[in-house]
Amino acid sequence: MPGDSQPRGTGTAAVPAPDADGGPRPILEAEDLTKHFPVHRQGRADLGRRRVVHAVDGVSLALYPGQVTALVGESGSGKSTVARLLAQLFPASAGTIRLGGQRVRARRGRSFRRYTRQVQLIFQDPFSSLNPIHTVSYLLRRPLRLHGYARSTAQSEDGVARLLAEVNLTPPRQFMEKFPHELSGGQRQRVAVARALGARPAVILADEPVSMLDVSIRLSILNLLQRLVTERNLALLYITHDIASARYFATSTLVMYAGQIVEGGPSETVTQQPAHPYTQLLIASAPDPERLEAVAEAAATGEPPSLVTPPAGCRFHPRCPHAMDICRQAHPPRSDLGAGHWAHCWLHTEQGGAC
């Protein structure tokens, strides 16, 4: 198994050497990642047919040390499935995942443990992701012991105190013996972040890390994650449906629709000069009292398609105000728009311009 060839961690995340041109190499990358979930038969009409949900189709991305990459899209677009594929919680139907340049497939046993030492997932709901019968101290001791960073009670207590201090839960002794239900939502999410840091990873996959929190404390959690990215040189995948937060928080932004990535590039460019009509829809749908009419128009453009029978061609064409015949017939190629900005849209091709 390729995952078995991964070297054992030594307590710090391995950062890939720079490319020959001096640029950073990605720590974690996916190429043509695909995930299809089988649909159970519902009646006679399904007999003899193998139906699947096209949850993720041909997704490619790269995560770099010291950078935040945002994956943006509405609910059901496949963002969380991508995170679980990268975390090796789901087996991919097709495609390749590389960690530090080496192909990995670590589904169980020692290879999975070595992989999780480098790649950690933070779930959306901290209340359901933390075992309610254990104290904060126990929850944070587990990764330290599991990955060999604490071999005695004293080392465990010291490690737990350091983790709590790093996520601004101070004084640490005040939180160690508390249970998850005794904490606020923001405190629980900080414990979840601390638990991920306990493995000393190179990559953190944050799946909607602030969507379950009060608006008043979301910024503090995002600032915490940004500080950790800088101090630990982490690669962070920030999954969100809020494209506005991606502009201020992420280095680069990828826009996902119906299981496919349709646009990507520097966050400032993607959010201020969106090239794909779906990205434009997301931005127009963002709450803004000065644009209530635009929000109403954006909301009236339809619903996402069925991923059991996705539309042919561009999957956004049933909702797109600029749809052309070619959009209904063929998937648009990637169009490079300059300065790292690109989009899969026929509007930016010679064929689309001629229609």
Side-chain angles (χ1 to χ4, degrees), residues 312-314 323-332 346-347 349 351-352 355:
C314 174
M324 302 171 287
D325 288 340
I326 195 171
C327 302
R328 303 175 179 90
Q329 299 167 1
H331 179 71
W346 285 111
L347 292 173
T349 65
Q351 297 93 324
C355 292

Side-chain angles (χ1 to χ4, degrees), residues 9-50:
T10 59
T12 56
V15 177
D19 281 330
D21 61 2
R25 288 182 180 177
I27 296 179
L28 185 67
E29 52 190 327
E31 182 179 349
D32 293 328
L33 204 57
T34 298
K35 181 60 180 178
H36 295 166
F37 293 99
V39 176
H40 297 294
R41 295 192 181 103
Q42 298 296 322
R44 292 184 178 181
D46 294 323
L47 292 176
R49 291 193 303 167
R50 183 178 181 273

Side-chain angles (χ1 to χ4, degrees), residues 76-89:
S77 60
K79 308 183 302 298
S80 294
T81 302
V82 169
R84 283 156 176 75
L85 288 169
L86 293 175
Q88 302 278 303
L89 298 181

Side-chain angles (χ1 to χ4, degrees), residues 51-100:
R51 306 179 70 201
V52 298
V53 176
H54 298 254
V56 174
D57 267 331
V59 165
S60 297
L61 56 82
L63 306 179
Y64 293 86
Q67 295 186 17
V68 178
T69 299
L71 184 59
V72 181
E74 59 196 332
S75 297
S77 60
K79 308 183 302 298
S80 294
T81 302
V82 169
R84 283 156 176 75
L85 288 169
L86 293 175
Q88 302 278 303
L89 298 181
F90 290 161
S93 302
T96 302
I97 296 175
R98 293 186 178 88
L99 178 63

Side-chain angles (χ1 to χ4, degrees), residues 93-311:
S93 302
T96 302
I97 296 175
R98 293 186 178 88
L99 178 63
Q102 298 185 23
R103 182 173 179 174
V104 293
R105 188 169 59 248
R107 286 287 297 153
R108 62 182 65 184
R110 293 181 178 178
S111 63
F112 181 72
R113 182 175 297 183
R114 288 196 290 271
Y115 186 81
T116 59
R117 186 180 291 124
Q118 298 291 321
V119 180
Q120 283 285 306
L121 174 62
I122 299 173
F123 293 94
Q124 178 180 6
D125 184 0
F127 191 78
S128 62
S129 68
L130 300 175
N131 193 324
I133 69 171
H134 292 303
T135 65
V136 169
S137 179
Y138 177 90
L139 293 170
L140 299 187
R141 284 201 314 267
R142 284 285 293 168
L144 296 173
R145 293 286 185 113
L146 189 65
H147 297 292
Y149 302 137
R151 302 187 182 278
S152 67
T153 301
Q155 288 178 339
S156 295
E157 291 183 356
D158 182 64
V160 169
R162 289 175 181 272
L163 289 173
L164 288 172
E166 193 166 9
V167 297
N168 298 329
L169 289 178
T170 55
R173 296 288 176 185
Q174 180 179 328
F175 296 93
M176 285 184 178
E177 299 310 315
K178 287 190 174 183
F179 291 88
H181 73 271
E182 298 177 301
L183 304 175
S184 68
Q187 290 171 340
R188 283 194 292 266
Q189 193 62 292
R190 289 176 186 273
V191 172
V193 172
R195 182 175 60 179
L197 295 177
R200 303 181 188 177
V203 180
I204 286 184
L205 313 170
D207 185 10
E208 299 269 15
V210 298
S211 65
M212 300 291 289
L213 306 178
D214 292 339
V215 175
S216 60
I217 59 176
R218 290 180 182 179
L219 183 59
S220 64
I221 297 296
L222 291 180
N223 287 337
L224 167 65
L225 292 172
Q226 183 66 74
R227 175 173 61 81
L228 294 173
V229 166
T230 302
E231 293 178 354
R232 290 189 173 228
N233 202 32
L234 293 170
L236 176 67
L237 179 65
Y238 170 55
I239 294 175
T240 181
H241 62 270
D242 180 13
I243 195 169
S245 67
R247 175 188 177 188
Y248 297 102
F249 181 57
T251 308
S252 58
T253 293
L254 302 172
V255 181
M256 192 167 186
Y257 179 76
Q260 299 175 336
I261 294 180
V262 299
E263 184 172 358
S267 294
E268 184 71 16
T269 304
V270 170
T271 56
Q272 297 304 298
Q273 303 172 37
H276 196 281
Y278 175 63
T279 310
Q280 296 167 8
L281 172 68
L282 286 179
I283 294 172
S285 299
D288 187 341
E290 298 180 0
R291 296 187 296 105
L292 292 180
E293 183 177 348
V295 172
E297 292 176 356
T301 56
E303 299 293 332
S306 166
L307 293 183
V308 177
T309 55

